[in-house]
Amino acid sequence: MPIIAYQSLNSNSSSEHGISASNSQYFTRMTHEHMAQNSAPWNLVLPTAPDISPDIPVQGPAELRSTASSGYMDKGQHSNDSFSSMVANKVRQIYQNLIRAFGGADLLVCGELDSSHSDWTSLHSNAGQLIHTSSPAKACNCFSVHSTNGAANKFLGEGDGWLAIACYNIIVVFVHVPNSIAKDENSLMSYYQKINSVVIQAGLGPVDVVMGDTNQPTNDFTARVLSRALGIKFSDAHPGGSINPFDSHQRSFEGTNSTATKKYDVAVFNTTSLKLAEVVYLSQSTPVSGGGRYTAAVTDHMGIGLRIEK
């Protein structure tokens, strides 16, 4: 029963894939400002232990924290080392949340991140072993595949805005769908058909799961297009519009983007091949310290945790 996570950063289109491409980008700043409008404590921060593998459970109660004040994520407020530390905190929180939600994590894929870049080497001990990177020209189109159990995962293929992995023989396609086709149903059908053909040629198809940043115009769009494109019934693992992140307390959102208005980040599954697809969302926040104990947005994308079974 694989447990898979996807977390995208907010990176720019730079050909330089270092930390500066992701440090306090526009939509991350917008996300933080949106969260900072409400000062009530809401974010649940779990204990972590930075000197051990991130998949080892760390015991202890969650700490309820508020969002840091407006302006905390403004440009120039954080050095690249400081921002890297925030991302490291974020991925360790992902592991600990998935341990509590599902009992563990087999695979973590980070979108808009090139973990093979020398700036990000410290992330490997926090996100798990780097087993594959997809490093196209622009930082915002990269994928990095991490795992504490590399033997469970097999790279199948990659292309423009997608990467396919077999995790315990369940075929998962991670996407950052190009904006140019994200709202065009016919173009998107062709896009997914081409991906599926690559997966089938690898001998393990068809696709079981599509997850990541779809840029979809409506909540049911990705499932509907996949169903038409592949002739297989696909469903959203979280069909509702309201989202209550697993790492939040009494806070709900109507979307996964910077203003909580669009459900771009989804996990959509093949209902004919899978008998279980259970999902949790994780907020864009990460714990920070200094001058108080708060959280801050480190990206504009909510994370997704998925437990699946064939």
Side-chain angles (χ1 to χ4, degrees):
M1 188 179 294
I3 299 165
I4 296 170
Y6 182 81
Q7 176 65 65
S8 189
L9 296 185
N10 173 208
S11 300
N12 63 27
S13 60
S14 173
S15 59
E16 172 58 42
H17 296 177
I19 296 170
S20 60
S22 309
N23 188 348
S24 298
Q25 294 300 309
Y26 174 77
F27 287 111
T28 296
R29 302 196 304 270
M30 183 183 295
T31 306
H32 184 82
E33 293 305 299
H34 183 265
M35 289 180 172
Q37 294 175 12
N38 189 335
S39 61
W42 70 281
N43 212 186
L44 296 170
V45 175
L46 296 176
T48 58
D51 296 326
I52 65 174
S53 180
D55 62 326
I56 296 175
V58 180
Q59 303 299 319
E63 180 184 359
L64 189 62
R65 295 194 188 185
S66 301
T67 301
S69 61
S70 175
Y72 185 85
M73 291 304 297
D74 283 358
K75 272 290 187 183
Q77 292 297 307
H78 301 280
S79 67
N80 284 347
D81 285 346
S82 173
F83 187 81
S84 175
S85 178
M86 294 171 71
V87 175
N89 288 343
K90 178 62 175 174
V91 295
R92 282 196 173 266
Q93 286 291 313
I94 291 172
Y95 273 99
Q96 292 303 312
N97 273 287
L98 293 189
I99 288 168
R100 298 199 183 195
F102 300 135
D106 298 294
L107 179 66
L108 169 62
V109 175
C110 297
E112 303 192 42
L113 174 65
D114 180 0
S115 295
S116 68
H117 192 282
S118 58
D119 277 8
W120 290 109
T121 53
S122 63
L123 189 62
H124 301 181
S125 62
N126 295 292
Q129 176 188 357
L130 178 62
I131 61 176
H132 184 81
T133 55
S134 174
S135 304
K138 298 178 181 180
C140 59
N141 291 333
C142 295
F143 294 93
S144 295
V145 183
H146 290 266
S147 178
T148 56
N149 183 9
N153 303 292
K154 178 184 178 182
F155 169 73
L156 299 179
E158 62 190 4
D160 184 18
W162 67 273
L163 177 144
I165 300 288
C167 183
Y168 291 107
N169 289 330
I170 293 181
I171 313 306
V172 186
V173 176
F174 299 92
V175 296
H176 182 185
V177 177
N179 281 310
S180 59
I181 63 170
K183 297 172 178 60
D184 184 327
E185 190 157 339
N186 290 329
S187 296
L188 203 55
M189 284 178 62
S190 176
Y191 179 76
Y192 284 125
Q193 286 166 349
K194 290 176 182 176
I195 293 172
N196 193 55
S197 68
V198 172
V199 169
I200 289 175
Q201 288 171 16
L204 294 171
V207 170
D208 292 309
V209 175
V210 172
M211 65 190 295
D213 177 13
T214 63
N215 287 304
Q216 62 181 3
T218 58
N219 289 354
D220 64 342
F221 188 75
T222 299
R224 187 178 76 247
V225 171
L226 270 165
S227 298
R228 285 190 61 202
L230 306 189
I232 301 168
K233 174 62 176 175
F234 280 80
S235 294
D236 190 330
H238 180 91
S242 182
I243 297 168
N244 301 89
F246 189 76
D247 60 340
S248 70
H249 174 68
Q250 295 183 348
R251 180 75 74 90
S252 64
F253 301 85
E254 298 305 313
T256 67
N257 66 329
S258 56
T259 56
T261 56
K262 297 289 185 180
K263 190 179 170 186
Y264 289 151
D265 305 281
V266 298
V268 177
F269 69 99
N270 181 335
T271 64
T272 64
S273 64
L274 298 182
K275 61 182 179 182
L276 173 70
E278 184 179 359
V279 72
V280 294
Y281 277 98
L282 298 170
S283 75
Q284 298 95 331
S285 296
T286 191
V288 297
S289 59
R293 300 184 67 80
Y294 301 100
T295 61
V298 74
T299 178
D300 63 327
H301 296 276
M302 283 191 183
I304 308 169
L306 184 69
R307 180 172 65 172
I308 45 183
E309 182 179 357
K310 275 195 169 179

